[in-house]
Amino acid sequence: MRTVAFPDGRTVPALGQGTWHMGEVRANRRAEAEALRRGLDLGMTLIDTAEMYADGGAEEVVAEALAGRRDDAFVVSKVLPQNAGRTRLPAACARSLRRLRTDRIDLYLLHWRGSVPLEETVAAMTALLRAGHVRAWGVSNLDVADLTALAALAGGGACATDQVLYNPQARGIEFDLLAWCALRGMPVMAYSPVGQGGRLLRDRALAAVARRHGVTPAQVALAWALRHPGVIAIPKSSDLAHVQENAAAAALTLDADDLATIDRAFPPPAHRQPLAML
Ligand code: NAP
């Protein structure tokens, strides 16, 4: 599978796995962990989670999936903005580590910007990095102005990624944010890449492209996100067949006709748009 490099040189597969809504129903946890393990076996070794998901339940599912095979995965978790301060960040990280049953988070993100000053978050993230609790840190849902402010702070240049909404229905980042990150060698993590399995997957343009290649609209959406070399897509699936399908999308390359079909249905941004988020 194609890989993407973070600024510190570590590489991850361009296709990872999300976990939002996992861990919410105790009876489903075993199947969710099984789906994540299947994804790992298929090469989707980056797993994205957050303290917010199921109030930590998703991190526990990740721990179950990684039992006995922690080193197979690159674990990304996220801290809530209200926990991103000097004293609360290390405590939140310790809780996540406990739920994940691990000694380090490979990449720890600020989930979105809240009222804690970015400087304070950067200082706290830097301390976690030095202590070895996290291997890298980054952000999520930050628009270009916030990224610029972050980069200007002491230590802010160490930010490894921005995780943002990106799929054909939400492509505003193509106007500015994607290029901003590419210029700095910072990969972008595309969340909700299959539009949360909703209307996007019933869209006619995606269906037409899918028919041409003998694949599914979800696979087209994933290949579409991955056409950028610096993008990592993190579809969530608890369904073994979907996991299989998503992993296979890494081998799909869309041609100019396919991209033009998608552009007609979902035109690229002609001007700056505020960052869309869920
Ligand atoms: P998504 O991955 O676009 O869509 C997930 C939904 O699509 C699930 O209902 C899933 O159902 C379905 N699905 C997945 N693969 C499919 C396939 N091949 N065919 C048909 N349906 C399919 O949306 P998301 O979960 O919002 O985003 C992905 C991950 O990004 C999250 O899980 C989370 O880790 C992260 N995220 C981050 C933020 C943030 O603010 N940083 C926000 C949203 C999401 P099944 O489980 O039944 O397959």
Side-chain angles (χ1 to χ4, degrees):
M1 192 180 293
R2 182 168 68 72
T3 57
V4 176
F6 284 108
D8 64 7
R10 285 185 305 163
T11 58
V12 292
L15 255 184
Q17 305 185 76
T19 62
W20 195 11
H21 300 307
M22 287 188 184
E24 290 176 353
V25 178
R26 198 156 280 278
N28 294 344
R29 286 187 176 198
R30 185 172 295 180
E32 290 163 352
E34 176 66 25
L36 289 173
R37 274 195 295 273
R38 177 67 61 86
L40 286 174
D41 293 339
L42 294 169
M44 297 190 291
T45 54
L46 181 150
I47 298 183
D48 178 79
T49 189
E51 64 170 344
M52 186 185 94
Y53 303 159
D55 283 331
E59 291 181 323
E60 290 168 0
V61 172
V62 173
E64 192 174 329
L66 295 182
R69 57 185 303 188
R70 169 66 183 88
D71 292 343
D72 290 354
F74 184 99
V75 176
V76 182
S77 193
K78 300 188 275 303
V79 64
L80 285 164
Q82 60 269 32
N83 289 338
R86 191 170 295 111
T87 51
R88 294 179 77 123
L89 184 65
C93 182
R95 288 193 298 272
S96 285
L97 287 170
R98 210 165 34 245
R99 285 188 294 260
L100 287 162
R101 284 189 258 136
T102 184
D103 59 350
R104 82 280 181 190
I105 293 170
D106 295 294
L107 176 59
Y108 197 36
L109 309 180
L110 169 64
H111 209 147
W112 64 90
R113 188 175 181 177
S115 56
V116 174
L118 283 177
E119 292 161 272
E120 193 178 326
T121 301
V122 171
M125 286 288 194
T126 307
L128 288 177
L129 198 65
R130 290 209 179 112
H133 301 313
V134 311
R135 293 280 159 87
W137 65 267
V139 295
S140 176
N141 296 305
L142 256 61
D143 208 343
V144 172
D146 285 332
L147 287 174
T148 306
L150 179 69
L153 299 173
C159 176
T161 192
D162 192 9
Q163 183 178 113
V164 294
L165 176 64
Y166 185 53
N167 64 48
Q169 292 169 315
R171 53 191 299 190
I173 63 167
E174 289 174 23
F175 192 79
D176 49 3
L177 190 144
L178 265 182
W180 193 98
C181 292
L183 204 64
R184 289 156 183 82
M186 187 194 289
V188 166
M189 294 180 70
Y191 73 67
S192 307
V194 299
Q196 299 200 299
R199 197 166 54 81
L200 182 67
L201 298 190
R202 293 187 295 279
D203 176 74
R204 277 203 217 151
L206 258 64
V209 174
R211 268 195 306 278
R212 270 182 224 154
H213 291 272
V215 298
T216 66
Q219 291 175 306
V220 172
L222 292 172
W224 181 87
L226 295 185
R227 75 197 188 287
H228 300 289
V231 169
I232 299 160
I234 48 169
K236 172 266 169 188
S237 182
S238 311
D239 176 296
L240 291 177
H242 287 167
V243 169
Q244 191 95 18
E245 197 179 303
N246 293 349
L252 174 65
T253 305
L254 302 181
D255 62 27
D257 282 349
D258 300 329
L259 296 178
T261 302
I262 296 171
D263 282 352
R264 279 193 294 277
F266 304 100
H271 49 81
R272 214 198 90 73
Q273 298 172 7
L275 183 64
M277 56 182 86
L278 295 182

